[in-house]
């Protein structure tokens, strides 16, 4: 009788354990399954938002916490600078560090090598010729972003390939953005009437996500 009771007790414990394992397996299996489904189902407008968040955060952090701490910016001393180095367009020749836009492009080039998606900077007041808005999507989209300060998103075709593309406002988040652009010789020559102020939209971050 005693043995029978003990046996019953053990069976119950084993049974409970088995049920728990089963439930965990189902829950985990189910969880894994729905996770896969979710990743397949993330809409492209959200994916471009994620890519933009990371790219923009890196750019802001680089400008605020690296460029702003250097003692020299394009040959001019910076009062708040504590690191004896210079941020300059000719960083390779001058032994300096890249400007925020150049740093952004260096990262974009590495990311694009993988061939999954591309991103870059454009502006209607571009200093670098290769960063002018190209085609109908970028020209119309960039204008809308400048007018509204909001992102512009749509599908487009580039060389026969379908993309989901987005243009996000690139704003003057630091005084350095404004002063450097306003005083740049090419900016002064091309856009003498365009004087940027803090928080102005200075251009756009374009992200192209292939839809196949
Ligand atoms: C010390 C000078 C300097 C600073 C600081 C600077 N820029 Fe630039 N920026 C440039 C130059 C020069 C270029 C063009 C060089 C290139 O991209 O090859 C450029 C490029 C750009 C472009 C691409 C369009 C173009 O003009 O070719 C955008 C948009 C831009 N900058 C916005 C910003 C913003 C926003 C900030 C602040 C977060 C900033 N810049 C900080 C000098 C500067």
């Amino acid at each position: 009788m005693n043995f029978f009771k003990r046996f019953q007790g053990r069976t119950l414990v084993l049974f409970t354990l088995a049920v728990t394992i089963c439930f965990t397996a189902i829950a985990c299996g189910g969880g894994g399954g729905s996770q896969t489904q979710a990743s397949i189902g993330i809409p492209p407008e959200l994916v471009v938002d994620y890519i933009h968040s990371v790219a923009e955060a890196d750019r802001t952090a680089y400008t605020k916490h690296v460029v702003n701490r250097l003692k020299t910016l394009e040959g001019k001393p910076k009062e708040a600078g504590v690191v004896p180095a210079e941020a300059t367009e000719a960083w390779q020749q001058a032994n300096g560090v890249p400007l925020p836009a150049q740093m952004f492009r260096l990262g974009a080039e590495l990311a694009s090598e993988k061939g999954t998606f591309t991103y870059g900077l454009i502006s209607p007041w571009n200093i670098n010729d290769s960063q002018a808005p190209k085609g109908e999507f970028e020209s119309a989209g960039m204008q809308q972003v400048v007018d509204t300060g909001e992102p512009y998103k749509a599908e487009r075709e580039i060389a026969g390939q379908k993309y989901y593309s987005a243009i996000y406002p690139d704003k003057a988040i630091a005084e350095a953005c404004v002063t450097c652009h306003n005083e740049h010789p090419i900016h002064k020559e091309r856009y003498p009437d365009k004087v940027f102020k803090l928080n102005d939209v200075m251009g756009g971050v374009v992200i192209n996500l292939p839809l196949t």
Side-chain angles (χ1 to χ4, degrees):
M1 196 62 190
N2 231 349
F3 168 80
F4 186 67
K5 261 193 185 164
R6 244 192 292 158
F7 178 75
Q8 262 192 329
R10 266 196 210 154
T11 314
L12 199 72
V13 168
L14 275 175
F15 180 73
T16 317
L17 209 78
V19 169
T20 314
I21 290 169
C22 263
F23 266 120
T24 315
I26 290 166
C28 290
S34 62
Q35 226 173 30
T36 316
Q37 261 187 349
S39 58
I40 290 168
I42 298 176
E45 55 266 37
L46 257 185
V47 178
V48 287
D49 278 354
Y50 296 160
I51 298 169
H52 172 249
S53 300
V54 176
E56 193 64 18
D58 278 352
R59 179 165 151 74
T60 304
Y62 181 69
T63 308
K64 286 194 168 165
H65 305 301
V66 179
V67 172
N68 274 359
R69 289 170 65 79
L70 305 183
K71 279 202 168 143
T72 320
L73 188 64
E74 289 295 20
K76 292 186 199 97
K78 271 181 49 233
E79 274 171 34
V82 290
V83 180
E86 177 180 17
T88 170
E89 197 172 343
W91 59 279
Q92 276 157 313
Q93 296 86 343
N95 286 332
V97 302
L99 298 177
Q102 294 175 308
M103 186 69 183
F104 190 81
R105 205 167 46 246
L106 289 168
E109 280 165 9
L110 286 178
S112 302
E113 275 174 16
K114 300 209 168 17
T116 35
F117 60 88
T118 61
Y119 64 96
L121 279 178
I122 56 167
S123 173
W125 307 281
N126 58 301
I127 296 173
N128 182 327
D129 284 338
S130 68
Q131 287 163 170
K134 284 171 225 62
E136 174 60 21
F137 173 87
E138 288 185 9
S139 308
M142 185 71 256
Q143 191 52 52
Q144 194 166 313
V145 171
V146 170
D147 293 342
T148 62
E150 294 296 323
Y152 176 86
K153 297 174 178 176
E155 286 186 18
R156 69 157 155 172
E157 232 179 84
I158 309 170
Q161 157 86 53
K162 265 199 167 181
Y163 287 88
Y164 187 86
S165 294
I167 307 176
Y168 296 85
D170 192 39
K171 293 189 180 167
I173 44 113
E175 197 55 47
C177 316
V178 170
T179 46
C180 188
H181 275 252
N182 286 343
E183 287 167 21
H184 195 283
I186 296 181
H187 180 90
K188 279 183 165 169
E189 189 195 314
R190 288 186 184 166
Y191 326 102
D193 301 331
K194 182 67 189 173
V195 181
F196 290 119
K197 298 182 304 301
L198 205 60
N199 296 319
D200 273 359
V201 176
M202 294 178 67
V205 175
V206 186
I207 295 170
N208 303 304
L209 193 69
L211 281 179
T212 44

